[in-house]
Amino acid sequence: MAPETREAGKLPKAFSNLQNHADRWALPTMALRHEQRLATSQALQREFYDAFLPVFEEAIDYLGSYPFDQLPEDAQTLLNLCLAMVDISLSIEVFGEHEGPHADLARRITVLNELSR
Amino acid sequence: MKIAVDTSLSRFGTEPIPVAHYCSSEYFENEKTHVFRRTWLYAGMECDVASPGDYLVKEFDFLDASIVIVRGKDNKLRAFHNVCAHRLSRLVWQEKGNARHFVCPYHSWGYNLNGDLASIPDAENFYDLDAKNCGLSPVAVDSANGLLFIHLGPEPEQSLEAFLGPVYERLHNFPLQQWTSHVEFTADLPVNWKCIVDNFQETYHVFSAHAVSVNERSVGTDNPMGYPLKFEFFNQHRGMDIWANPDYVPKPVERIVMNGGGIVGQTKIESQDDNDAVMFVFGLFPNVVLNITPYFLQLHESLPLAVDETRWRTTAFFPPAKSVGQRLAQEYSAVLLRDISAEDVGILSSLQKGMKSGAHKHLQFQATEVLCRHLVINIEQAINKGIQRHREADHGA
């Protein structure tokens, strides 16, 4: 079971109003983000989704202002939050009411290797 | 334009398939003897053995084989049974790594990377030991555009290139060796290995089993059942070009990340026929299916553990991301592949029970499930050929 929240790094100032979501979702690996999705109610997932969607493109543009291989720590935290948004979007936009039964099957898949950073 | 199914596919036969092909222990033994022990088998990725001394170990427990593949100091790839010649214990215990030589943990017999026995503690107390003939037992190994294959037979009947035939050339059209960013999933499923191969070589199930996840991408007004655009057959291998719905409207987050990654909507893949394919599927005899898209290649390996137990392992190869946009687009693809796979895991887990139940003696394949039929036919032919060969050898003896 993923921890409810953890001490995530700070988000860039422009996105600091999302810090409470970052504490839950800005996890460094796909496996941890997925675990958090499976352990979190869809209502809570939607709170994150609804809060982030209006500024999601803005966040990607902000990250694009740095060279990809030289993201400062706060920008990396924001990237992790974006990656979590991608995972959560499958639950909110695609699976919807089917997320629960689907999650039981998803637990049977083990991730051996994932995209880095 | 409405997509239709090729009516000539009935040339591969129309009969139902006996369920014994999937659940008889005797049939599985024949597959092991006449198929898996006599053909090139996928064994891993060449990037894991890129430099001299790099090695990987691939387990084929169902064939009682553990194989170590190593890049020699001369840069040559070699493969050996992972068995020490002294008391036949396991030699290499790590899954992958880099070594200057291999030392057996049992009594420290040492081998160089060419497989020669190089050091024996207290050698003088052996009786007339023929150290030259106590090297590691070699196994044929080769690579096709970065994918490693081994052959457990004493002498492969054909080279890997000849075995893969036209697929070998087609594989080289894709910059796989540069696609070094890998996502890998696995699950052990209580099902015959062919069921997993079959699942990834027919599109008939998509509108139903994937109704929630990808139905809208895969069916549309021109193609309500999501027929493939084309089927191809290459000796024992097979392929199809996958259609996708051009009218698919991406979801909000999907649209944002795919646009940001330079991937807009369904982009067609460079096809030999200039049709509207978005993905090529290749079924490599016996137990691999490749899905090739413009953005990633996905390799499904269906590794038997027993007649009714299989380790499904899938690897998606991506080019290393050069931008945040590309990174997010790749994450979307990876997460989607994982979540679609979970739907397959659910349905696949039910098949073996049904096959063993005795409820039906046959299973049915329709026209668009022709690649599944093609696999069954080629397995059957390989088994018959093998049995014939054994008979002739017995006669000769």
Side-chain angles (χ1 to χ4, degrees):
Chain A
M1 192 70 90
E4 272 286 286
T5 57
R6 61 190 270 285
E7 283 224 2
K10 287 273 169 274
L11 287 171
K13 259 207 186 81
F15 299 92
S16 58
N17 60 329
L18 293 168
Q19 188 63 45
N20 61 326
H21 294 294
D23 291 342
R24 183 184 298 272
W25 293 108
L27 297 161
T29 69
M30 180 189 195
L32 286 172
R33 294 186 290 268
H34 188 222
E35 213 177 305
Q36 186 69 292
R37 168 178 158 192
L38 296 179
T40 306
S41 74
Q42 220 174 14
L44 268 178
Q45 293 176 24
R46 183 169 276 286
E47 271 183 34
F48 166 48
Y49 177 89
D50 288 342
F52 200 12
L53 189 61
V55 293
F56 188 47
E57 279 174 284
E58 212 176 297
I60 296 171
D61 288 344
Y62 174 89
L63 293 170
S65 69
Y66 293 101
F68 180 48
D69 52 358
Q70 291 167 40
L71 293 182
E73 209 182 313
D74 60 353
Q76 182 64 49
T77 304
L78 184 61
L79 175 58
N80 291 344
L81 197 64
C82 290
L83 291 166
M85 181 67 162
V86 166
D87 216 310
I88 290 307
S89 80
L90 270 291
S91 167
I92 302 295
E93 297 179 349
V94 177
F95 288 98
E97 58 176 333
H98 303 282
E99 172 72 359
H102 181 265
D104 290 337
L105 297 171
R107 285 191 185 92
R108 295 181 51 190
I109 294 180
T110 305
V111 177
L112 299 172
N113 213 347
E114 55 180 86
L115 296 167
S116 54
R117 287 206 306 185
Chain B
M1 195 184 71
K2 291 267 181 220
I3 309 296
V5 178
D6 176 1
T7 52
S8 76
L9 295 172
S10 59
R11 68 187 184 278
F12 290 98
T14 56
E15 295 77 24
I17 306 298
V19 74
H21 287 228
Y22 293 80
C23 59
S24 144
S25 300
E26 192 191 339
Y27 199 85
F28 183 59
E29 286 304 313
N30 277 330
E31 288 179 336
K32 292 195 319 194
T33 308
H34 303 300
V35 178
F36 286 96
R37 290 189 189 280
R38 296 197 65 99
T39 194
W40 288 95
L41 298 174
Y42 174 72
M45 291 180 276
E46 197 174 356
C47 61
D48 286 333
V49 286
S51 307
D54 285 354
Y55 68 86
L56 67 86
V57 175
K58 173 73 177 177
E59 305 297 342
F60 297 95
D61 284 338
F62 75 115
L63 302 173
D64 300 314
S66 168
I67 304 297
V68 56
I69 300 174
V70 61
R71 172 88 55 191
K73 285 180 181 151
D74 55 0
N75 231 23
K76 254 187 85 171
L77 275 178
R78 292 182 182 80
F80 305 101
H81 281 281
N82 188 16
V83 178
C84 177
H86 172 218
R87 296 262 295 276
L88 314 196
S89 53
R90 184 186 180 87
L91 175 67
V92 184
W93 288 67
Q94 275 190 316
E95 206 185 326
K96 54 179 97 164
N98 184 279
R100 277 180 301 172
H101 43 253
F102 298 122
V103 178
C104 178
Y106 201 1
H107 304 86
S108 287
W109 277 33
Y111 301 85
N112 65 25
L113 301 184
N114 296 346
D116 306 320
L117 179 58
S119 63
I120 309 167
D122 199 28
E124 57 274 23
N125 274 313
F126 278 97
Y127 308 102
D128 302 322
L129 182 72
D130 181 5
K132 276 205 172 59
N133 283 317
C134 287
L136 299 177
S137 179
V139 165
V141 62
D142 202 353
S143 73
N145 201 14
L147 305 178
L148 294 171
F149 292 80
I150 59 105
H151 193 298
L152 293 172
E155 192 73 28
E157 283 162 26
Q158 49 187 359
S159 67
L160 177 64
E161 187 173 348
F163 167 70
L164 291 175
V167 180
Y168 186 86
E169 282 307 311
R170 296 277 284 274
L171 267 179
H172 282 81
N173 291 339
F174 301 92
L176 273 191
Q177 312 225 36
Q178 278 100 62
W179 291 9
T180 53
S181 209
H182 302 147
V183 178
E184 247 182 318
F185 311 124
T186 189
D188 287 356
L189 301 177
V191 71
N192 182 260
W193 67 276
K194 292 189 295 301
C195 297
I196 297 177
V197 177
D198 287 348
N199 186 69
F200 296 110
Q201 59 181 0
E202 56 93 352
T203 54
Y204 183 30
H205 76 287
V206 174
F207 85 100
S208 173
H210 301 299
V212 176
S213 63
V214 288
N215 186 24
E216 295 165 36
R217 298 157 193 272
S218 313
V219 305
T221 43
D222 283 347
N223 194 356
M225 290 301 298
Y227 297 148
L229 292 164
K230 190 173 77 170
F231 295 98
E232 289 181 283
F233 305 92
F234 319 95
N235 305 324
Q236 293 175 300
H237 317 293
R238 59 214 97 88
M240 58 181 170
D241 290 6
I242 302 291
W243 179 92
N245 180 10
D247 302 324
Y248 171 68
V249 180
K251 311 281 189 237
V253 166
E254 178 185 16
R255 184 185 55 77
I256 292 168
V257 299
M258 288 307 182
N259 278 343
I263 302 171
V264 185
Q266 305 271 19
T267 303
K268 69 174 191 171
I269 190 164
E270 219 37 64
S271 161
Q272 295 189 327
D273 296 347
D274 198 33
N275 62 26
D276 289 324
V278 296
M279 182 165 86
F280 294 138
V281 173
F282 288 118
L284 302 187
F285 188 81
N287 64 333
V288 164
V289 179
L290 297 174
N291 300 340
I292 305 182
T293 82
Y295 320 112
F296 62 85
L297 174 141
Q298 188 179 19
L299 183 149
H300 298 285
E301 180 197 16
S302 179
L303 187 70
L305 301 174
V307 60
D308 54 2
E309 181 82 24
T310 304
R311 180 157 297 157
W312 163 68
R313 187 163 174 158
T314 182
T315 311
F317 299 61
F318 293 88
K322 293 200 177 75
S323 68
V324 165
Q326 205 184 1
R327 175 70 185 81
L328 290 170
Q330 290 182 351
E331 187 80 358
Y332 196 92
S333 296
V335 166
L336 184 60
L337 291 177
R338 182 196 66 207
D339 285 2
I340 296 169
S341 298
E343 292 175 325
D344 291 318
V345 162
I347 206 84
L348 281 169
S349 298
S350 76
L351 295 189
Q352 204 69 16
K353 201 171 166 188
M355 290 189 177
K356 288 201 267 195
S357 69
H360 298 281
K361 290 192 169 60
H362 294 87
L363 50 117
Q364 315 287 337
F365 288 140
Q366 62 124 283
T368 67
E369 292 167 296
V370 66
L371 302 191
C372 309
R373 189 182 288 280
H374 184 261
L375 174 62
V376 167
I377 292 169
N378 277 282
I379 295 282
E380 184 77 352
Q381 281 175 355
I383 291 175
N384 288 340
K385 216 170 109 186
I387 291 174
Q388 184 66 27
R389 200 167 32 225
H390 278 215
R391 274 203 198 112
E392 284 166 10
D394 286 348
H395 259 314

